[in-house]
């Protein structure tokens, strides 16, 4: 028994994609998959050495002339994130697909040089900054292509690790910090942002989505290497129910390229199926409060035109969670969600159930200070390098 994650082979010639944290794990498979379909794919990572080697492996693995390039991005730094945005804009390229894949998992409490709790900045603030600053390019591209995609790789940890009342006042609090809960909270923010961004993109050809990759066998345990208990737990989970990186990338890759998903509606996906997220993720009051706080945290780093257009929060009528959106047209239902129509070209076998997850995807640069955690990405540990 087993469900199959089917990703259609789509001609992406002439399209441009960005994948953050792409030098290993899920991100690597996303870059490879997009490039194989013909997209000019940018691997946005911190370590030039590791990324350059990854780009070479991708090109060597194919008989095609793949267009893959490295651009430096360190999500531990708002300045590095702004530098990445500026460097991309200077290329004068369109942008059809933006995948916010990078993240870190359950690291000990630390603050970035910008003063924010590490997981909050790496997993939420910097992806939020990249997305808003590159949004005008995605909008312009979608106006002619008719299909823009913005994706946030989240995790089922957004409800399994973060339960109870949403408390925005503890975001940067060291006293209230619990590393696994903080990870789950940032993954909840990814899903909230998916819905609040889509709400701001009415009547434009851009689809925003969030994904749970599953428990994926990558370098995810590095983030918890200081904790013997957590390390043993994650190693056990990965050994017993972990997916290979290609399997873990399938849901996100499908959301990025599947023509059937050009819906201009936000959804949360697990195993290529629309799945109900944590109800808090659908609460518009929570979404708008997160949006307001994110804008305030980034006010000195966002361009004036972005602040003017996207700075204000949107009025909401109720503090009650919105009911889940109806699923897309289906080819059959399962208890976990609805099957999304695909043209099955690349088929990956997936497990029927996913019990736990996070994300993982890179190592610190040589000589990086101990306080700078590895950033990877997957759903059994999430991070980017």
């Amino acid at each position: 028994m087993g469900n199959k994650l089917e990703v259609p082979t789509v001609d992406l010639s002439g399209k441009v994609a960005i994948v953050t944290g792409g030098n290993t794990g899920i991100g690597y498979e996303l870059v490879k998959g997009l490039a194989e379909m013909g997209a000019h794919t940018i691997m946005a990572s911190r370590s030039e050495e590791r990324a350059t080697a990854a780009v070479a492996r991708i090109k060597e693995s194919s008989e095609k002339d793949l267009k893959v390039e490295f651009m430096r991005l360190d999500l531990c730094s708002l300045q590095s994130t702004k530098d990445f945005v500026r460097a991309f804009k200077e290329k004068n390229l369109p942008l059809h697909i933006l995948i916010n894949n990078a993240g870190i998992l359950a690291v000990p409490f630390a603050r970035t040089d910008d003063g924010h709790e590490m997981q909050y900045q790496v997993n939420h603030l910097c992806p939020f900054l990249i997305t808003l600053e590159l949004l005008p390019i995605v909008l312009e591209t979608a106006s002619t292509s008719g299909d823009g995609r913005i994706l946030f790789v989240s995790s089922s940890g957004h409800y399994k690790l973060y339960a109870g009342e949403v408390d925005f006042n503890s975001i940067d609090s060291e006293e209230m910090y619990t590393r696994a809960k903080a990870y789950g909270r940032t993954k909840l923010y990814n899903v909230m942002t998916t819905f609040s961004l889509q709400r701001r993109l009415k009547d434009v050809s851009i689809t925003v989505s969030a994904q749970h990759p599953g428990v994926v066998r990558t370098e995810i345990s590095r983030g918890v290497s200081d904790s013997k208990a957590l390390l043993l737990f994650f190693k056990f989970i990965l050994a017993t129910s972990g997916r290979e990186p290609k399997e873990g990338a399938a849901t996100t890759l499908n959301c990025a390229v599947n023509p059937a998903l050009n819906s201009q509606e936000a959804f949360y996906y697990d195993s290529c199926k629309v799945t109900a997220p944590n109800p808090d993720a659908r609460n518009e009051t929570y979404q708008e409060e997160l949006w307001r706080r994110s804008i305030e945290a980034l006010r000195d780093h966002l361009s004036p035109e972005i602040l003017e257009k996207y700075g204000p929060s949107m009025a909401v009528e109720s503090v009650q969670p919105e009911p889940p959106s109806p699923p897309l047209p289906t080819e059959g239902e399962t208890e976990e969600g609805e099957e999304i129509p695909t043209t099955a070209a690349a088929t990956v076998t997936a497990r029927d159930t996913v019990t736990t997850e996070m994300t993982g995807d890179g190592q610190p640069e040589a000589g990086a200070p101990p306080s700078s955690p590895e950033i990877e990405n997957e759903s059994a540990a999430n991070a980017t390098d």
Side-chain angles (χ1 to χ4, degrees), residues 107-112 115-119 172 174 177 371-373:
V107 296
F109 183 89
R111 292 195 186 277
T112 66
H116 298 292
E117 187 274 311
M118 188 73 71
Q119 292 191 86
D172 272 332
E174 182 174 3
Y177 184 79
S371 61
S372 182

Side-chain angles (χ1 to χ4, degrees), residues 56-129:
R57 288 197 306 274
I58 289 173
K59 290 183 175 181
E60 290 168 2
S61 69
S62 176
E63 296 180 356
K64 302 176 184 178
D65 183 18
L66 303 185
K67 194 163 188 180
V68 184
E69 67 171 302
F70 158 74
M71 290 184 67
R72 190 174 190 281
L73 169 65
D74 182 358
L75 298 179
C76 294
S77 165
L78 289 171
Q79 185 59 55
S80 174
T81 303
K82 291 169 60 179
D83 290 345
F84 167 78
V85 168
R86 175 187 49 77
F88 180 79
K89 288 180 177 179
E90 289 175 352
K91 291 179 176 290
N92 293 315
L93 290 171
L95 182 57
H96 301 79
I97 301 167
L98 171 61
I99 303 180
N100 292 293
N101 163 77
I104 52 177
L105 163 71
V107 296
F109 183 89
R111 292 195 186 277
T112 66
D113 289 343
D114 301 294
H116 298 292
E117 187 274 311
M118 188 73 71
Q119 292 191 86
Y120 174 53
Q121 177 166 324
V122 170
N123 295 354
H124 170 66
L125 279 183
C126 282
F128 187 87
L129 175 59

Side-chain angles (χ1 to χ4, degrees), residues 92-238:
N92 293 315
L93 290 171
L95 182 57
H96 301 79
I97 301 167
L98 171 61
I99 303 180
N100 292 293
N101 163 77
I104 52 177
L105 163 71
V107 296
F109 183 89
R111 292 195 186 277
T112 66
D113 289 343
D114 301 294
H116 298 292
E117 187 274 311
M118 188 73 71
Q119 292 191 86
Y120 174 53
Q121 177 166 324
V122 170
N123 295 354
H124 170 66
L125 279 183
C126 282
F128 187 87
L129 175 59
I130 291 171
T131 299
L132 285 193
E133 287 295 322
L134 293 183
L135 186 55
I137 302 176
V138 182
L139 283 166
E140 182 179 357
T141 303
S143 69
T144 55
S145 71
D147 187 356
R149 310 282 176 108
I150 298 175
L151 298 86
F152 294 91
V153 180
S154 182
S155 159
S156 68
H158 86 278
Y159 53 82
K160 293 182 178 179
L161 297 178
Y162 192 72
E165 184 178 352
V166 175
D167 178 15
F168 293 104
N169 294 319
S170 64
I171 286 175
D172 272 332
S173 171
E174 182 174 3
E175 292 74 21
M176 302 177 70
Y177 184 79
T178 302
R179 54 205 290 183
K181 185 175 181 179
Y183 171 77
R185 177 171 57 201
T186 62
K187 296 292 99 181
L188 175 64
Y189 292 171
N190 292 158
V191 186
M192 285 182 174
T193 302
T194 296
F195 291 112
S196 55
L197 178 59
Q198 188 75 75
R199 189 161 55 249
R200 288 164 168 81
L201 297 176
K202 288 184 177 179
D203 304 318
V204 298
S205 299
I206 294 177
T207 300
V208 190
S209 60
Q211 301 78 32
H212 166 53
V215 184
V216 185
R217 297 188 185 100
T218 61
E219 301 172 359
I220 62 174
S221 60
R222 289 180 293 108
V224 295
S225 59
D226 64 309
S227 170
K228 186 176 181 180
L230 284 174
L231 186 60
L232 289 174
F233 170 73
F234 284 119
K235 284 186 174 181
F236 173 77
I237 293 296
L238 291 172

Side-chain angles (χ1 to χ4, degrees), residues 293-371:
R293 287 174 180 262
S294 302
I295 291 290
E296 286 304 312
L298 296 171
R299 183 165 294 278
D300 293 338
H301 303 277
L302 290 163
S303 55
E305 57 271 22
I306 294 298
L307 280 173
E308 181 179 358
K309 187 170 184 179
Y310 298 107
S313 297
M314 297 178 70
V316 295
E317 297 180 356
S318 172
V319 297
Q320 297 302 315
E322 241 182 28
S325 297
L328 294 170
T330 67
E331 293 182 346
E333 298 183 0
T334 70
E335 291 182 359
E336 293 181 298
E338 308 222 358
E339 298 287 352
I340 300 305
T342 61
T343 56
T347 300
V348 184
T349 301
R351 289 161 178 75
D352 290 304
T353 59
V354 177
T355 322
T356 241
E357 44 50 47
M358 304 297 137
T359 326
D361 190 300
Q363 292 181 340
E365 297 177 280
S371 61

